[in-house]
């Protein structure tokens, strides 16, 4: 049963999630194959912001500033983008099963990744620039391109029909999956197949300050734009016709929600691979706890998504240290049974 909150209580919920996320960041910097104490972390930060002239321990500086901090910030941005996208699409489609993967984001990114891993080396396109930017650029182009294709196919008389878009997404995803399987089966070497498989399982291990700035430049402005559509998405819960009569620009909201979801999830998948169930499960948890009001659901979902990926990433790099578990495996192991439990619970309520 959702808890009904007033404005003050909503702010307390958001503050609580923000504090929990900060605690998660501190714990994430301490934990890992190499232990770093709080004093060393404080010295690194003090020297970086000019509060101390002491030179920090070089090992602690490398671990905290160059490895774990960009990785934790990347986890926050990725989790926030995935969860907020899921919340927006579920509100837009009025379907609790709606997920960014349904509109082609993940499938398109995977097609771009196959081009980067398999096609470019086959045609001799290699080099430092290709190695650094080939995968994220092609995966991002693939995700946005396939989403745009699904959007265009689902247009009927200049309007987007939700059911048509979901069905188009299912069909296009099936086609893209077949093409990916065909490409890796025929053309990929063992090393390329292994690289693509690890990428598709998701990992934040490759995060650095460059990826942080690129992802932040796309995700942070998108988060603020997305939250502005909270009232419009509340109106969508009543139905598209009702939303139109309430003064909502229905088609404009649809285009904005789909575009923002595509670029937020696209840039995340481009850098860190496919991280499943965050966009599907986190909005459900917030909705079950505090109700479907998007004024709270969107910002709380973003904070909870960031917190969830901080916890998942910290667990992934410590549970079998010094080796590392792919984060997509972890989110699927935890998210799959949780979502299955939600479905079974829903069926029992319908039977009563």
């Amino acid at each position: 049963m959702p808890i009904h909150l007033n404005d003050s209580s909503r702010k307390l919920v958001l503050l609580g999630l923000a504090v929990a996320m900060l605690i998660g960041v501190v714990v994430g910097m301490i934990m890992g194959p190499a232990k770093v104490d709080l004093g060393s972390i404080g010295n690194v930060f003090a020297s970086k912001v000019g509060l101390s002239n002491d030179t920090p321990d070089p090992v602690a500086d490398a671990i905290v500033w160059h490895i774990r901090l960009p990785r934790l910030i990347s986890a926050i941005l990725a989790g926030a983008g995935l969860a907020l996208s899921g919340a927006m699409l579920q509100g837009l489609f009025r379907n609790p099963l709606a997920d960014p993967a349904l509109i082609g984001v993940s499938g398109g990114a995977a097609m771009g990744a196959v081009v980067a891993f398999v096609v470019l080396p086959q045609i001799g396109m290699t080099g430092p620039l290709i190695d650094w930017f080939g995968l994220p650029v092609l995966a991002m182009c693939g995700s946005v391109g396939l989403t745009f294709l699904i959007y265009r196919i689902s247009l009927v008389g200049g309007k987007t029909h939700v059911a048509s878009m979901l069905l188009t997404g299912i069909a296009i995803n099936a086609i893209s999956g077949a093409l990916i399987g065909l490409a890796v089966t025929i053309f990929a070497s063992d090393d390329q197949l292994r690289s693509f498989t690890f990428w598709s399982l998701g990992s934040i291990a490759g995060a650095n300050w460059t990826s942080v700035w690129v992802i932040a430049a796309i995700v942070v402005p998108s988060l603020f734009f997305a939250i502005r559509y909270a009232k419009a998405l509340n109106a969508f819960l009543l139905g598209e016709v009702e939303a139109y009569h309430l003064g909502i620009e229905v088609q404009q909201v649809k285009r904005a929600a789909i575009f923002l979801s595509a670029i937020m999830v696209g840039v995340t998948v481009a850098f860190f691979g496919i991280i499943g169930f965050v966009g599907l499960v986190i909005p459900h948890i917030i909705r079950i706890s505090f109700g479907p009001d998007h004024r709270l659901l969107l910002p709380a979902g973003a904070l909870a998504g960031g917190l969830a990926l901080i916890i998942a990433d910290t667990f992934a790099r410590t549970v079998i240290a010094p080796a590392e578990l792919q984060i997509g495996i972890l989110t699927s192991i935890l998210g799959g049974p949780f979502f299955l439990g939600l479905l079974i619970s829903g069926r029992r309520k319908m039977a009563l």
Side-chain angles (χ1 to χ4, degrees):
M1 180 69 69
I3 302 171
H4 296 287
L5 303 173
N6 55 30
D7 288 344
S8 299
S9 299
R10 290 193 191 100
K11 291 176 182 174
L12 282 177
V13 170
L14 296 177
L15 180 63
L17 286 170
V19 171
M21 197 163 65
L22 288 176
I23 294 172
V25 169
V26 174
V27 173
M29 279 193 283
I30 294 172
M31 294 185 66
K35 303 295 182 187
V36 182
D37 57 53
L38 272 176
S40 299
I41 294 172
N43 288 337
V44 171
F45 275 85
S47 67
K48 295 297 180 185
V49 299
L51 295 177
S52 172
N53 293 324
D54 295 337
T55 302
D57 176 60
V59 175
D61 181 71
I63 292 174
V64 172
W65 193 260
H66 296 287
I67 298 176
R68 292 185 185 168
L69 186 58
R71 186 165 177 158
L72 289 165
I73 295 174
S74 296
I76 292 172
L77 293 170
L82 292 171
L84 186 59
S85 298
M88 288 183 73
L89 294 176
Q90 289 168 12
L92 181 68
F93 294 146
R94 288 186 295 148
N95 187 330
L97 297 177
D99 179 77
L102 275 179
I103 61 170
V105 179
S106 301
M111 291 183 73
V114 166
V115 174
F117 282 122
V118 179
V119 177
L120 293 187
Q122 292 282 350
I123 61 177
M125 289 186 66
T126 58
L129 280 178
I130 298 293
D131 294 340
W132 276 93
F133 298 107
L135 174 60
V137 169
L138 288 170
M140 182 74 181
C141 291
S143 63
V144 175
L146 202 62
T147 302
F148 180 74
L149 176 64
I150 291 173
Y151 174 77
R152 290 294 300 173
I153 292 175
S154 63
L155 278 177
V156 179
K159 295 181 180 179
T160 313
H161 289 258
V162 169
S164 175
M165 188 160 188
L166 288 176
L167 293 173
T168 306
I170 291 171
I172 295 293
N173 278 325
I175 295 169
S176 66
L179 292 175
I180 290 167
L182 196 63
V184 297
T185 301
I186 295 176
F187 300 109
S189 65
D190 289 344
D191 288 341
Q192 290 166 344
L193 181 59
R194 189 178 298 110
S195 298
F196 175 74
T197 302
F198 276 109
W199 174 86
S200 65
L201 294 175
S203 174
I204 308 182
N208 53 42
W209 284 113
T210 302
S211 64
V212 167
W213 290 119
V214 173
I215 296 171
I218 293 176
V219 171
V220 173
S222 300
L223 289 174
F224 285 105
F225 275 114
I227 291 172
R228 291 179 59 189
Y229 289 101
K231 289 184 178 179
L233 291 172
N234 281 345
F236 266 74
L237 295 177
L238 302 172
E240 290 188 24
V241 176
E242 288 80 0
Y244 174 78
H245 288 296
L246 288 172
I248 303 298
E249 294 289 344
V250 172
Q251 295 304 318
Q252 180 187 354
V253 174
K254 284 182 183 177
R255 284 194 295 270
I258 291 168
F259 175 73
L260 290 172
S261 298
I263 61 171
M264 281 193 290
V265 179
V267 72
T268 298
V269 175
F271 277 96
F272 306 131
I274 299 172
I275 302 174
F277 282 99
V278 176
L280 191 62
V281 172
I282 296 298
H284 270 289
I285 295 175
I286 301 298
R287 192 179 293 108
I288 290 171
S289 303
F290 304 113
D293 187 345
H294 288 84
R295 292 175 299 172
L296 176 65
L297 178 60
L298 295 184
L303 291 169
L307 175 62
L309 270 202
I310 286 175
I311 295 171
D313 182 58
T314 303
F315 189 76
R317 60 188 165 83
T318 54
V319 65
I320 55 172
E324 189 169 307
L325 193 64
Q326 300 297 108
I327 196 170
I329 297 174
L330 194 60
T331 55
S332 297
I333 288 175
L334 298 176
F338 179 84
F339 193 69
L340 192 59
L342 285 177
L343 291 176
I344 294 172
S345 173
R347 288 179 58 186
R348 285 176 179 168
K349 288 178 181 177
M350 291 173 65
L352 293 176

